[in-house]
Amino acid sequence: MKKDIHPNYRDVVFYDTSSEYKFITKSTIETSETITWEDGKEYPVYKIEVSSNSHPFYTGKKMILDTAGRVEKFNRRYAKK
């Protein structure tokens, strides 16, 4: 195999900013920020907005979307005359 062509596969902490949830897994993602994990070691951290801890499908919580008026607007625009 050729040397120096593979990405750095390492432990990375993923931090869900919406629910303050953190988990560690292996990844090749590049990041400059680090965080001290529960074991005392320092790991690179990557901030995400949605994880299994905050996604409505996994949590069972429904998201309320503001779609009021969209159907009516569609019907007015494309109604058969």
Side-chain angles (χ1 to χ4, degrees), residues 1-2 8 10 29 38 62 68 76:
M1 277 203 294
K2 293 182 181 178
N8 185 15
R10 60 196 175 153
I29 197 160
E38 299 160 355
K62 293 195 177 197
R76 277 194 313 260

Side-chain angles (χ1 to χ4, degrees), residues 12-70:
V12 177
V13 174
F14 284 85
Y15 174 53
D16 183 353
T17 56
S18 63
S19 66
E20 302 291 322
Y21 178 67
K22 299 174 192 154
F23 60 95
I24 191 166
T25 187
K26 296 233 181 226
S27 178
T28 59
I29 197 160
E30 294 296 325
T31 180
S32 59
E33 297 179 53
T34 60
I35 192 170
T36 303
W37 191 246
E38 299 160 355
D39 61 1
K41 294 182 184 176
E42 199 155 305
Y43 294 101
V45 64
Y46 186 75
K47 294 179 181 176
I48 55 177
E49 294 177 7
V50 177
S51 71
S52 61
N53 198 44
S54 62
H55 193 279
F57 179 80
Y58 296 105
T59 61
K61 297 177 185 172
K62 293 195 177 197
M63 224 182 219
I64 299 172
L65 298 175
D66 185 22
T67 58
R70 289 187 182 185

